[in-house]
Amino acid sequence: PAFVVHPEEWHRRLHEVQVSKSDLNRLIMDYLVIEGYKSAAEEFAQEASVAPEVDFDSIESRMKVREALQRGDVEDAIVRVNELNPEILDNNRALFFHLQQQKLIEYIRQGRVTEALQFAQEELAQLGEHSPEFLSELERTMSLLAFEHSSSTPSAIGDLLSPAQRMKTAGEVNAAILESLSQGKEVKLVQLVKLLSWGQGMLKEHAEFPKVSFFFVREIAGVVDTVL
């Protein structure tokens, strides 16, 4: 490294950085809104005098969509998304396909093979014809049928039946709804941590310094825990 930053100097400079209370409050409100803590967001808005960028009712609507997908009720999720804004699915072919794919996965999970085959042929095959990516995903999903009674299902296929797959689909839908509301798709605190991590990596190329202390992240986490 070109130079060395001593720990005392490093920590002194870190603690000289002033983060305003209002900025911290906005970060906390952003977290509560995007993660769907409606009641906590309402209470925090009153206590900290912070106005959210979205209507609180939209938070509850988003959470109902996410809950429907997490329990495998894709049809209910689609209905709720359309009630929020029908243009979300009309203008996002990839999101619509992934919801249909999740519906196919649920058919297979429930052992409804005939319905799965019919649904894939009538609803998904046409989408796959116009997109190699969609076709590849459809083929991977249909491969689940070949391992229906097998204990040796490859992880790349078997993962489709995991709770994480439902969470992935729910996250994609949640992001699309937030975007339709002109709200950030990712918690700003997460974005800040990523930026700090990137900055630390760049700095390592030129200097030797103590590990970054995300003191303000810990401070925010403590406030969030209190609110929730």
Side-chain angles (χ1 to χ4, degrees):
F3 61 93
V4 176
V5 181
H6 296 290
E8 296 81 4
E9 175 69 9
W10 180 258
H11 290 299
R12 182 184 67 79
R13 293 195 178 191
L14 276 181
H15 286 282
E16 284 178 352
V17 177
Q18 298 297 316
V19 182
S20 71
K21 185 67 174 178
S22 62
D23 286 339
L24 290 176
N25 286 343
R26 283 195 293 270
L27 284 172
I28 294 167
M29 178 59 75
D30 174 77
Y31 172 84
L32 295 175
V33 167
I34 290 183
E35 290 300 312
Y37 296 105
K38 179 187 175 185
S39 297
E42 289 176 328
E43 292 178 13
F44 188 71
Q46 293 180 350
E47 293 176 5
S49 299
V50 181
E53 297 181 6
V54 298
D55 182 73
F56 283 126
D57 289 337
S58 70
I59 300 176
E60 186 173 2
S61 298
R62 279 193 298 114
M63 292 307 100
K64 287 181 178 178
V65 172
R66 185 163 74 180
E67 290 165 3
L69 287 169
Q70 288 175 345
R71 66 173 182 268
D73 192 344
V74 181
E75 194 60 42
D76 182 43
I78 291 174
V79 169
R80 292 182 181 278
V81 170
N82 285 330
E83 287 176 349
L84 274 170
N85 185 350
E87 292 184 358
I88 293 175
L89 298 182
D90 289 343
N91 298 332
N92 193 330
R93 292 180 67 250
L95 179 62
F96 179 69
F97 173 81
H98 289 148
L99 279 169
Q100 297 294 74
Q101 179 190 20
Q102 190 64 47
K103 190 172 181 179
L104 176 61
I105 291 170
E106 300 304 335
Y107 277 136
I108 295 173
R109 185 198 306 277
Q110 297 164 18
R112 298 160 64 180
V113 177
T114 301
E115 291 170 272
L117 292 171
Q118 183 178 354
F119 182 73
Q121 182 178 3
E122 295 179 356
E123 303 294 338
L124 288 169
Q126 185 176 1
L127 292 171
E129 288 176 1
H130 302 288
S131 171
E133 180 185 354
F134 293 169
L135 183 58
S136 175
E137 283 298 303
L138 175 57
E139 291 173 347
R140 185 164 76 102
T141 305
M142 294 303 291
S143 296
L144 287 170
L145 294 173
F147 296 94
E148 185 180 5
H149 302 293
S150 173
S151 58
S152 58
T153 306
S155 60
I157 298 172
D159 286 349
L160 291 172
L161 295 174
S162 70
Q165 173 63 27
R166 286 178 172 175
M167 292 286 289
K168 178 182 177 182
T169 305
E172 187 177 351
V173 174
N174 188 54
I177 295 173
L178 286 167
E179 187 172 20
S180 75
L181 297 170
S182 299
Q183 176 77 16
K185 296 187 289 185
E186 184 179 44
V187 175
K188 287 184 175 63
L189 185 58
V190 173
Q191 295 175 353
L192 282 172
V193 171
K194 288 180 179 179
L195 180 60
L196 286 170
S197 179
W198 174 82
Q200 179 178 346
M202 294 293 292
L203 187 58
K204 278 183 179 179
E205 298 178 7
H206 306 285
E208 181 179 329
F209 61 96
K211 184 177 179 181
V212 172
S213 175
F214 299 132
F215 62 93
F216 77 95
V217 176
R218 293 197 299 270
E219 183 175 349
I220 292 174
V223 176
V224 170
D225 286 341
T226 301
V227 173
L228 298 179

